[in-house]
Amino acid sequence: VIQCAQQGANVAFCDVSTEAVDSFNRELQNKTFAAHVVGNVVDVSSDSEVKLWIDSVASRWGRIDGLVPNAAAFVFGSVEEASGDDWDRV
């Protein structure tokens, strides 16, 4: 996020955690960018939330030049123990 914004790219980032978004926004307040950086709370496991978020970013800036769908979900245990819901979440 920081590298992209320092190079002049508008950046929208998201996290499922309000605390994480707020914390990163506070960290970014001390930096100067030639672009806009916006953080939102989005559950990327929800297709409808992702669509709304992408639509709002496109509406705000008129376009999206790139997306990095970087999310992690951890299911502990063996492959044999993982349920279908576990695989869908990951």
Side-chain angles (χ1 to χ4, degrees):
V1 169
I2 293 170
Q3 289 284 348
C4 291
Q6 286 174 334
Q7 297 299 316
N10 292 331
V11 179
F13 70 92
C14 69
D15 197 293
V16 69
S17 163
T18 301
E19 295 79 22
V21 170
D22 290 346
S23 174
F24 196 55
N25 277 329
R26 282 191 300 276
E27 180 182 336
L28 295 173
Q29 286 176 348
N30 299 325
K31 302 193 180 308
T32 303
F33 303 117
H36 300 283
V37 179
V38 177
N40 298 99
V41 176
V42 179
D43 180 354
V44 297
S45 69
S46 166
D47 291 344
S48 61
E49 280 192 44
V50 171
K51 182 176 178 354
L52 285 171
W53 179 57
I54 290 172
D55 289 347
S56 73
V57 171
S59 175
R60 174 184 290 235
W61 292 322
R63 68 181 203 211
I64 295 176
D65 292 325
L67 291 171
V68 180
N70 184 23
F74 300 99
V75 177
F76 297 97
S78 69
V79 171
E80 293 85 8
E81 294 169 333
S83 70
D85 287 341
D86 291 337
W87 283 107
D88 288 345
R89 182 166 183 254
V90 171

